Amino acid sequence: MSVSRLTRCAVLTALALALSVAEGLAPLTILIPLPGLRLGLANLVTVYALCRLSGREALLILLARCFLGNLLGGNLMALAFSLTGGLLALGVMALLLRLPALSLYGVSIAGAAAHNTGQILAAMAVLGSRAPLVYLAPLLLCSLVTGAVTGAVSLLLVRRVPAPFSAA
């Protein structure tokens, strides 16, 4: 990977971390009391990276954000949740971006739903119980709203922030 690509990934990782921290300062759970509910602002960087960079770079940014965010936040146990949700969301969005009939709204909503599903799967694995499935339906309903919001902002970002020059 070239220095310019590495630098671009580092800057986008820092942006994703900053968005994640900012989002944590005003938790969405105040309005909707569901454990783990977030707007998903860091997902803006993931969607941008998928649209303007490569899937490999988007994956590296996601992994770095998850590891650094949980390390700096002092909650390494949450790493299982953020990684499972993030990787499932990234995979779903990468596949759906190949469908020309689906807008970034749809891709982002599906990504939010996949992220919530991944977190529930991680919770079930950690707890060794099916009890977290109770939260899945309400979280998927919230995915419609949170995914639409991040989809709208992602659409603006992808349209207005030019693709970086390709440096070998």
Side-chain angles (χ1 to χ4, degrees):
M1 182 181 290
S2 71
V3 173
S4 64
R5 284 186 176 281
L6 185 61
T7 303
R8 182 172 43 243
C9 287
V11 168
L12 289 172
T13 299
L15 176 60
L17 279 169
L19 288 169
S20 185
V21 168
E23 183 177 38
L25 296 175
L28 194 56
T29 54
I30 291 172
L31 300 173
I32 305 168
L34 281 173
L37 183 64
R38 292 180 64 130
L39 188 55
L41 295 177
N43 192 46
L44 296 170
V45 175
T46 304
V47 173
Y48 177 80
L50 278 172
C51 291
R52 292 290 189 227
L53 307 176
S54 70
R56 180 174 176 248
E57 289 167 317
L59 175 63
L60 291 174
I61 292 166
L62 174 76
L63 291 174
R65 175 182 57 87
C66 288
F67 282 112
L68 291 172
N70 286 294
L71 183 66
L72 296 173
N75 190 358
L76 286 178
M77 183 60 184
L79 182 61
F81 297 95
S82 60
L83 265 182
T84 305
L87 289 171
L88 190 56
L90 179 72
V92 165
M93 291 187 302
L95 288 173
L96 293 179
L97 277 170
R98 296 175 183 204
L99 300 176
L102 195 59
S103 72
L104 275 182
Y105 286 107
V107 170
S108 190
I109 289 169
H115 194 279
N116 287 331
T117 302
Q119 288 189 320
I120 293 297
L121 291 173
M124 289 171 54
V126 167
L127 296 174
S129 166
R130 291 181 151 183
L133 278 175
V134 170
Y135 292 111
L136 187 57
L139 283 174
L140 290 177
L141 281 173
C142 290
S143 297
L144 294 171
V145 175
T146 60
V149 169
T150 56
V153 177
S154 294
L155 193 59
L156 288 172
L157 278 174
V158 169
R159 285 184 179 166
R160 297 189 186 247
V161 177
F165 292 112
S166 183

